[in-house]
Amino acid sequence: MKLVGPWLSGYTRRVGVTLNLLNIPFEHLPYHAYRQPERVAAFSPMKRVPALQLDDGQVLIDSGAIVDYLDSLVPAEQRLMPADGPERVRAMQLVAYAAACYDKLARYCDELMLRPESHRLPHLQAGYLEQMQAGFGVLNAAHAEPWLLGARISQADIMTVIAFQSAAVVMPHAITGDAFPQLARLAQRAMQSTAFSSTVPDLSDLQASGLVGTNGGV
Ligand SMILES: N[C@@H](CCC(=O)N[C@@H](CS)C(=O)NCC(=O)O)C(=O)O
């Protein structure tokens, strides 16, 4: 399999972490949707990442659809989403909150990356941050031990850790471990696994995208 997209893209990282946790080998093609659109287009006609090219040549898009497919490749006891019942509903809702936080972060980042400072709309950016804080608040309160659903790691942990870590890098004064201590602990626990630690975006990639300054700050 070939995974198209950089780790800077949290949705791509979601698929990378899933492949790692499920022990599915893959080749990583870290093409950037905005900086290398033609390379991305060779796999993904809408020039979006992630895209996953299967060994038979078929290309899947959309991280949610991709991780659902990947779960179908492994035995039930290894899957990263509960099959049914209240646990599945809870997992789906936690993933929905985490993905919504990431979506707001992506809009905020688009403002930083694509719009000249003089054309940015401060009330939009403040609104995105407020929505993120509300979403992270829900996830912070939902925490169980050691993972969000209890004993086993799930897609809820993957998307939550990725959204929280990404937001903490872009907004280090607002999205912090002090404000969301359970999420900070969850991220620390996840980073003990190479599934997560091997998919951290390069600082140079963040700088090239204008998301952090050259000293690592915003
Ligand atoms: N719902 C999609 C969102 C994918 C997405 O927003 N990808 C971003 C990078 S994180 C992208 O490719 N943006 C460029 C574009 O949409 O034109 C998923 O989960 O895969």
Side-chain angles (χ1 to χ4, degrees), residues 7 18 25 68 79 101 105 115 119 137 145-146 157 162 179:
W7 298 143
T18 300
D68 184 60
R79 292 188 185 141
C101 286
L105 177 68
R115 214 185 289 280
H119 288 64
E145 291 288 340
D157 302 293
I162 291 170

Side-chain angles (χ1 to χ4, degrees), residues 4-81:
V4 181
W7 298 143
L8 179 66
S9 152
Y11 295 118
T12 303
R13 191 175 175 215
R14 175 190 197 183
V15 176
V17 169
T18 300
L19 286 161
N20 287 336
L21 287 173
L22 297 179
N23 289 314
I24 298 173
F26 66 100
E27 182 184 345
H28 183 213
L29 304 177
Y31 304 151
H32 193 287
Y34 293 136
R35 299 205 300 268
Q36 297 164 298
E38 298 317 321
R39 285 191 172 188
V40 172
F43 294 89
S44 172
M46 290 182 71
K47 302 179 182 174
R48 270 190 133 186
V49 296
L52 185 73
Q53 186 175 56
L54 308 184
D55 293 342
D56 66 3
Q58 186 184 176
V59 178
L60 308 183
I61 64 158
D62 195 275
S63 63
I66 294 171
V67 298
D68 184 60
Y69 165 75
L70 294 174
D71 241 15
S72 76
L73 300 180
V74 299
E77 64 275 12
Q78 288 176 29
R79 292 188 185 141
L80 293 167
M81 280 297 277

Side-chain angles (χ1 to χ4, degrees), residues 37 42 47 91 113 117 123 136 139 147 212 218:
K47 302 179 182 174
M113 288 191 293
E117 202 166 343
H123 76 276
F136 285 129
L139 293 164
W147 303 106
V212 298
V218 168

